[in-house]
Amino acid sequence: MTIADDAWPAARLGNLARLRAVAAGLRGVHFYERVIDAPFADVWAFASDLERTTRSFEPDVHSLRVLERNGDHWKVRVRMPRWAGTAPLTLDVTMRDGWCWMVSRPALYVVGMAAEPVDADGSQTRFGLAEGAVLPVAAWAQPATRPLLAVSRWRHRFHVPRDVARLGACVTAGRNGRAL
């Protein structure tokens, strides 16, 4: 007996559900979401303009420069503030409408953003941000990474909600004619 492929149910995840699922599987990553009182187009235009807007809502970034764009695959260079004392990070980025996934090279850190309209009238947007350390190691070495991943998740539990609030404030200020 054969079953036609179209007989099986298909599950499709929206951008936020996908980001929630990915973040849940990464021990050092914290995910946070909230509703922003602005249309999806405004929120995503702001969030996805990485070079111009990232510094306004992410104080841990001194500068961000897009090095390459090849369709929805980008490469960016991020510099942290001098007090952080870290070398610049190069990240591979997948940027689509309502979806941004960034992975540092080497793959030690990830950032994800996702957005969707809240309802049919489109006046509000649900926005999510996931960020944190990832340490891809062999299974036998994973117990040794647990403390570092726990610290990453704990740290991001505090600053990720703050960053999302700042992004929302910047978008609504821009819509109201105030400087960003």
Side-chain angles (χ1 to χ4, degrees):
M1 175 178 174
T2 61
I3 298 175
D5 286 340
D6 59 355
W8 291 94
R12 288 182 176 68
L13 295 177
N15 290 331
L16 283 163
R18 183 170 20 144
L19 187 58
R20 256 186 246 110
V22 169
L26 299 171
R27 288 192 191 120
V29 173
H30 179 71
F31 172 79
Y32 177 79
E33 70 180 85
R34 73 179 273 183
V35 172
I36 297 173
D37 196 24
F40 169 82
D42 293 351
V43 172
W44 195 250
F46 184 87
S48 64
D49 189 358
L50 299 177
E51 283 184 313
R52 289 181 0 116
T53 64
T54 300
R55 286 188 52 195
S56 63
F57 68 90
E58 174 54 87
D60 289 343
V61 171
H62 179 266
S63 67
L64 186 148
R65 187 168 59 109
V66 176
L67 304 174
E68 298 174 22
R69 287 181 201 222
N70 184 9
D72 59 2
H73 298 286
W74 302 4
K75 186 173 296 273
V76 302
R77 168 90 22 94
V78 176
R79 293 189 187 277
M80 307 309 230
R82 289 182 194 255
W83 58 262
T86 59
L89 291 174
T90 300
L91 297 110
D92 292 332
V93 178
T94 301
M95 181 69 73
R96 296 186 181 123
D97 197 32
W99 174 262
C100 176
W101 183 250
M102 299 181 261
V103 179
S104 70
R105 294 297 172 219
L108 301 174
Y109 199 80
V110 297
V111 178
M113 298 186 295
E116 297 173 348
V118 170
D119 50 24
D121 77 354
S123 63
Q124 294 182 316
T125 302
R126 183 169 293 282
F127 182 86
L129 176 64
E131 188 171 350
V134 292
L135 300 171
V137 296
W140 63 266
Q142 288 179 1
T145 66
R146 286 190 183 123
L148 181 59
L149 295 175
V151 168
S152 172
R153 190 177 200 117
W154 175 82
R155 178 191 182 276
H156 289 88
R157 183 176 307 143
F158 296 101
H159 93 80
V160 167
R162 176 202 66 202
D163 295 348
V164 173
R166 285 182 180 170
L167 184 141
C170 288
V171 172
T172 55
R175 291 188 70 234
N176 295 328
R178 295 190 302 266
L180 300 179

